[in-house]
Amino acid sequence: MNNMFKTFKTEEFRRAGRFYRQEIKNNYRNFLVAIITALMWSGLVVVQPYLIKRIIDDSIIPNRPALMVTFLSFLLLAGYIKALSIGVRRYFGMQVSYNVEADIRNNIFGHMQKLDFSFHDRVPTGELMARGTGDASQVRMAFAIAPLATANIVLLFVLSATLLNISLLLGGLILFSIPLILSMASKFAAKAISISTKVQESQAAMTTEVEELLGGIRVVKAFGKEDSASDKVDKATDGIFNTSMELLKLRSTFVPLFELIPMAVSMLVLLVGGYITINGLISLGDFVAFTQYIILLVWPLRITAWFLSEIPRSVAASNRILDLLEEKPNIIESNKSENLPSKGKGEITYEGVKFRYGQDTVFEDITFTIQPGKTVAIVGATGSGKSTLAYLLPRLYEPSSGSIKIDGVDIRNIELEELRKNISIAFEESFLFSNTAEENITIGSDVLDEESIKRASSIAQADDFISELPEGYETKVGERGYGLSGGQRQRVALARAIIRKPRILILDDAMSAVDASTEEEIRQQLKTVMDASTTLIITNRVPTIEMCDEIIFIEDGRVKAQGSHENLKRDVKSYRNLLLETEKV
Ligand SMILES: Nc1ncnc2c1ncn2[C@@H]1O[C@H](COP(=O)(O)OP(=O)(O)OP(=O)(O)O)[C@@H](O)[C@H]1O
Ligand SMILES: [Mg+2]
């Protein structure tokens, strides 16, 4: 008994409890229907043996067949309503549980949208997937069982009262054994809570490994690393196997016990009950009803034990979900919500910006201003922080100090949605979703008309090859679609970035896989449409740099120099050397 209360007194349990109460509140109508019909069911369960007792004592023994018909029709009615209540409870109870599951998933994925990149650096995708799928279903289970369990616990009490009412001695004997069974169940629950946490942890580890393996399957195969990769997966699989076996062993010892105990109790009843009936202490009808009640007792006991074993798993799962949901976004949404000036063309100012990933300082002091409408190359050695510089602008990461302004407005005072709407980034690694080419281009923009899509694509030099795909713009591309080359993918991603007509366009090595003449073409086209916006091009390619109005050269966490390519080449030795190196490559 102590054990059971310990399980229910942990902070984890209380935390999950608050979460469950909130979910019940959100679904209280359906939940109420489920509980009421479940309670109705437990009432009717108790009525049935009572009617049988009345049939025996009032109709069979005194030989009054007419009464039998009355009782039988009541019995029939009770049976019918009972069946109906099961259906209704199931429907509404399950509906609540599916609502809860969907709610949790929406919350998780909604919350993840708010978290910045540093969160994703820390938490592997596999773990997020495990929470969004496995843990969410685990919590759902608790809600699916809750009405049933409530009804069965109530039934347990009603049956106990009825048993005691029929015979204090026999009822007492039976009820005495119940705490015994419950304490066993709680011992089981306490152990199960820790093991099932381990199982879920190793499942998450497995998902991470498999994701990594499958994500990098080409590299793995090309480098003949299949063995070491599958070793890792094997290890993760072993982890799941071992912890699952531990849980299985626990279940295998306890479940048969739960099965056996009620059996032994029934034998006891027949013995003692038969004796007191023969001696006239209770009526025959009472005895028959009593044995029926004992059989009925088995069911709620099992359900309760099951419920007790599910609760810890569900508590563990909801705690993991809550950990995730309570993860505070580093990026605090501003409460000022200033708007960007509608006339602004994208002036960018970084002032004294410091930034570090964890402990690794990337920027000591970044200070520069980019005039609106300019096209600026960000140049720097690999690892100097060029990409990081770009990530700071849409607040994918947050500087530790300093300020960044767009058209004179501090980006911390702009609503995130508004801020990000005004900035487009095309990455070197162009991720395509398993959607049509068109959907991949229009993702995240409100522009949907065909003409704009075609225009953006032709600027990105993507229109020609997309039109030649089997189904043109309707062709599925991405992971599960038509295979595009690296340069083609980059051009689709570029079209995605420019269709939004952003105030600031950032190309982070976004044309690295595109050949020089196509890149030149793209740059010419871009000039005509991006006139109204500022463009940052992260690159170390000289021909690209030469097309830019200005260069910002990053070195040792600072802006080493800013100016025209010609001037930098003349004045800055490390700049010259870097470009020479790049040329050679
Ligand atoms: N998510 C991250 N977590 C921790 N450190 C990171 C992370 N991303 C980058 N870094 C580190 O920060 C530094 C700057 O990285 P960044 O990607 O901005 O450089 P880069 O100039 O864009 O390099 P490249 O030319 O190779 O793209 C590097 O030392 C890198 O190792
Ligand atoms: Mg980079």
Side-chain angles (χ1 to χ4, degrees), residues 386-387 508-509:
K386 304 182 295 294
S387 298
D508 184 354
D509 263 330

Side-chain angles (χ1 to χ4, degrees), residues 115-188:
L115 297 173
D116 58 350
F117 277 22
S118 57
F119 168 77
H120 297 285
D121 288 345
R122 249 181 321 111
V123 184
T125 315
E127 203 172 313
L128 294 177
M129 304 245 295
R131 304 216 180 151
T133 55
D135 287 349
S137 332
Q138 193 70 59
V139 173
R140 183 185 81 75
M141 274 300 283
F143 280 89
I145 308 171
L148 182 69
T150 312
N152 276 284
I153 291 167
V154 169
L155 183 58
L156 216 53
F157 282 107
V158 177
L159 282 176
S160 310
T162 315
L163 288 176
L164 287 173
N165 190 34
I166 294 175
S167 160
L168 220 50
L169 168 72
L170 198 52
L173 215 58
I174 299 308
L175 296 180
F176 186 71
S177 67
I178 289 182
L180 223 73
I181 298 168
L182 278 186
S183 86
M184 238 169 59
S186 74
K187 217 186 246 168
F188 168 69

